[in-house]
Amino acid sequence: MTRYSRRTLLKASAAFAGASAIGFPSIVSGQTEKIKIGHLTPLTGFLGALGAYATLGMRLAEDEINKAGGIMGRQLDVMSEDSVNPATAATKAQRMLDQDGATVLMGEINSASALTIMQVADRNKKLFVQIGARSDALRGKNCNKYTFHVDIPNTVMVNSVGKALLRDNMVKDKKFFTLTADYIFGHDLLNAAKRFFAANQGNLIGDELIATDVTDFSPYLLKIRQAKPDVVCSNLAGNQVTTLIKQYAEFGLPYPIVGFNLNTADAWAAGEGNLAGTWPTVWYHTLDVPASKTFVDNFAKKNGKPPENHAWIEYVTFKMMAQAMNETKSTDTDELIAYFEKETQFDVLKARKANFRSWDHQLVQEAYTFSPKPKGEAKDKWDLITLGAAVPGANEPLEVINPTKEQNPCSL
């Protein structure tokens, strides 16, 4: 009896060991396997400087999330690559899903590349959180169920600056001349500008489409001199805005210049004394909000410089994704979409919280305008501009600066 019991026990032990070797590690692995995110952003070309900041913000969020225990106890593993151009962005996005095991796609700044990634997400029925591209068409006629948009769209940028222009009596009966980036983002921005001019009795007397590789603006500045507008308006993107600002200052044209798009890295690169006028932004590192100040301090300690707006937006977006996964206890695409679509409130390090609209997947949030400081007042090369008040005002709904359903032909 003793011998039989011992033999039975040994067999049972061997069977248990075999089951452990085959089955249990897969269970443990399933619990501890990293959550993989496919991240794409331009690191070269005219948007490369913005993509570099975006990557730094993403990495800070990844580090903080992992040090805090990860998501559902699992570490985050962000696979980040240069999106390069629209075709390459789509190829890399597909590979990240098929071969690299990405659960979610995130990132981008270039609107044309964002559109091709959106198409990959739609075909594969995988979530894409589109962080930094601003074209209205992405969240309008090209919207899809699987894509959510974080950065402010073109219409919001135009409306934000437009409020300041109206306040300063710079629209009604004024003649505008615009310079526009010749790709989907610029075309959208020009359309939003035209709507604003038409609604407020401003006159667009000239527009020039500018290829994204143009570095010499003198032919266009000569056309502006001949046209004699009241206001010059930039609808450019990336480091082209910096180039325009510098050359505009060198030409000494007497017409005030404003812009409907300018990222702070490009404003810093313009240098003291070159930037003029009123411009829009989604966030700036001097924002007087405690949580924002903490982020700025942590970023500066790690990177030796303040964060640019693309660093901020990547950081808060990855924190939003972590919140969504932790609260749903899932990485399932449909469950995450449902969580965002119920208009969950997120802390985006501003005075007011933000939420995605259910019908077009746009994050509704505060925006701002900024203007350059007078020459000689900057403390350092990152202290060139003064942030204006939040738009809309505290007593207004966030919706008032966003495209309406009538303006935004999105059908999810």
Side-chain angles (χ1 to χ4, degrees):
M1 184 72 177
T2 302
R3 188 184 304 121
Y4 178 82
S5 297
R6 184 168 179 272
R7 185 183 302 116
T8 303
L9 179 62
L10 289 171
K11 287 182 178 180
S13 298
F16 180 82
S20 298
I22 297 170
F24 290 165
S26 65
I27 297 173
V28 173
S29 175
Q31 293 171 340
T32 60
E33 182 183 355
K34 292 182 177 181
I35 296 174
K36 293 185 177 181
I37 304 292
H39 180 258
L40 291 161
T41 201
L43 297 175
T44 52
F46 73 110
L47 298 173
L50 308 182
Y53 272 100
T55 302
L56 293 177
M58 174 272 290
R59 290 300 179 198
L60 178 60
E62 181 187 23
D63 289 348
E64 290 183 2
I65 291 167
N66 285 339
K67 287 177 181 177
I71 298 172
M72 298 179 290
R74 298 163 62 186
Q75 293 288 283
L76 195 61
D77 179 13
V78 184
M79 305 170 288
S80 184
E81 295 186 27
D82 183 359
S83 51
V84 186
N85 57 47
T88 302
T91 299
K92 289 186 174 184
Q94 189 66 57
R95 190 207 69 219
M96 286 175 168
L97 294 176
D98 289 344
Q99 299 178 26
D100 302 332
T103 300
V104 174
L105 297 172
M106 299 179 70
E108 203 42 63
I109 298 172
N110 184 306
S111 292
S113 294
L115 177 59
T116 63
I117 301 171
M118 287 173 61
Q119 293 165 349
V120 171
D122 192 33
R123 285 198 305 270
N124 291 271
K125 295 181 170 48
K126 286 290 188 178
L127 181 62
F128 172 38
V129 182
Q130 192 283 102
I131 300 177
R134 292 172 169 172
S135 168
D136 283 338
L138 300 181
R139 55 272 276 169
K141 65 181 181 180
N142 294 312
C143 72
N144 68 51
K145 170 184 176 180
Y146 298 96
T147 304
F148 288 78
H149 307 273
V150 183
D151 209 344
I152 52 177
N154 286 341
T155 294
V156 170
M157 294 194 295
V158 170
N159 289 343
S160 299
V161 173
K163 281 180 172 285
L165 296 179
L166 290 169
R167 177 197 65 206
D168 297 336
N169 298 314
M170 291 179 64
V171 183
K172 185 179 179 181
D173 299 327
K174 300 297 183 183
K175 296 180 293 183
F176 285 82
F177 195 106
T178 55
L179 300 175
T180 299
D182 192 10
Y183 74 113
I184 184 174
F185 164 80
H187 298 170
D188 266 9
L189 193 55
L190 177 60
N191 289 334
K194 285 179 176 178
R195 289 195 299 270
F196 172 76
F197 296 147
N200 295 282
Q201 300 177 56
N203 301 313
L204 180 61
I205 64 169
D207 176 70
E208 292 289 329
L209 291 175
I210 313 294
T212 57
D213 59 353
V214 166
T215 57
D216 179 10
F217 285 88
S218 56
Y220 307 105
L221 298 180
L222 289 172
K223 289 183 179 181
I224 290 171
R225 180 177 287 164
Q226 293 170 353
K228 298 180 180 179
D230 295 308
V231 183
V232 175
C233 182
S234 167
N235 294 326
L236 301 177
N239 59 19
Q240 281 197 312
V241 188
T242 305
T243 305
L244 170 65
I245 290 167
K246 289 180 176 179
Q247 294 180 19
Y248 197 86
E250 291 169 0
F251 258 68
L253 294 175
Y255 322 111
I257 184 170
V258 300
F260 290 138
N261 176 60
L262 179 60
N263 292 283
T264 45
D266 300 318
W268 294 334
E272 187 176 16
N274 291 319
L275 184 65
T278 303
W279 304 76
T281 189
V282 66
W283 177 87
Y284 193 60
H285 70 276
T286 60
L287 187 62
D288 190 16
V289 173
S292 182
K293 290 181 176 180
T294 299
F295 162 65
V296 172
D297 289 344
N298 291 340
F299 185 96
K301 287 176 184 176
K302 184 173 183 179
N303 299 294
K305 57 185 176 182
E308 190 260 3
N309 53 279
H310 281 286
W312 161 82
I313 203 166
E314 292 268 342
Y315 176 87
V316 296
T317 303
F318 272 79
K319 290 301 183 82
M320 288 192 291
M321 180 59 71
Q323 176 182 325
M325 288 180 173
N326 275 323
E327 292 195 2
T328 60
K329 294 181 171 53
S330 176
T331 59
D332 178 75
T333 295
D334 290 337
E335 291 191 36
L336 293 173
I337 288 174
Y339 181 82
F340 290 137
E341 283 188 340
K342 70 180 183 179
E343 303 196 348
T344 304
Q345 295 287 301
F346 295 99
D347 181 0
V348 292
L349 314 186
K350 297 181 180 183
R352 297 163 75 174
K353 291 187 176 181
N355 65 272
F356 289 104
R357 297 196 293 197
S358 60
W359 60 273
D360 67 350
H361 291 179
Q362 171 62 46
L363 189 74
V364 179
Q365 59 183 306
E366 292 175 315
Y368 310 86
T369 57
F370 66 79
S371 300
K373 289 185 175 181
K375 194 169 184 177
E377 290 191 9
K379 299 174 185 176
D380 53 46
K381 63 182 180 180
W382 298 295
D383 187 41
L384 301 179
I385 62 181
T386 299
L387 188 67
V391 180
N395 60 339
E396 296 179 284
L398 293 174
E399 290 283 349
V400 300
I401 60 172
N402 282 273
T404 64
K405 284 187 177 181
E406 291 72 29
Q407 294 171 332
N408 189 28
C410 175
S411 179
L412 294 175

